[in-house]
Amino acid sequence: MIENQKIRPAKVIGPLGEPLTLDTLPPPETTRWVVRRKAEVVAAVNGGLLNVDEVCSRYNLTVEEFAGWQRAIDRSGMPGLRVTRIQHYKSLYERQQKY
């Protein structure tokens, strides 16, 4: 019996519509996280290329940090990942929740 969790796709579609593979993901030693790189890593997890534990150990991230990236994309798309706009999108989301 084959477990579905062990079957991984060879590639997934990235945030800009390009194919992503393990080789095209940001390198493990990445320290400067621009919006595109964050979105690529989230797309890799959402597509099943990597799981959260693998991403956190590969990129030296905390689960909370990665979960924040996922929430930002779910709420505001790629622009929500911009560090300079976190407060703007946070207040916008809170206002939407009130109504």
Side-chain angles (χ1 to χ4, degrees):
M1 184 173 163
I2 298 174
E3 294 180 27
N4 289 337
Q5 296 174 352
K6 293 184 180 180
I7 298 174
R8 294 183 184 222
K11 62 182 176 181
V12 296
I13 301 301
L16 303 176
E18 77 288 355
L20 287 176
T21 65
L22 289 175
D23 294 332
T24 60
L25 284 175
E29 60 275 357
T30 299
T31 56
R32 187 169 184 274
W33 286 101
V34 295
V35 171
R36 180 187 50 81
R37 290 182 187 143
K38 291 177 186 179
E40 287 174 346
V41 172
V42 171
V45 171
N46 290 343
L49 198 57
L50 294 170
N51 65 39
V52 175
D53 293 332
E54 292 169 330
V55 164
C56 290
S57 66
R58 178 179 173 137
Y59 295 112
N60 197 26
L61 301 171
T62 64
V63 173
E64 292 81 12
E65 186 175 14
F66 178 76
W69 293 357
Q70 283 187 312
R71 275 192 309 276
I73 285 181
D74 290 344
R75 290 178 180 173
S76 307
M78 284 181 62
L81 291 170
R82 293 180 60 201
V83 174
T84 57
R85 301 295 286 175
I86 287 174
Q87 190 60 43
H88 168 76
Y89 287 110
K90 182 179 175 183
S91 64
L92 179 67
Y93 180 73
E94 288 170 353
R95 278 184 282 165
Q96 289 173 346
Q97 292 299 312
K98 290 181 182 179
Y99 302 106

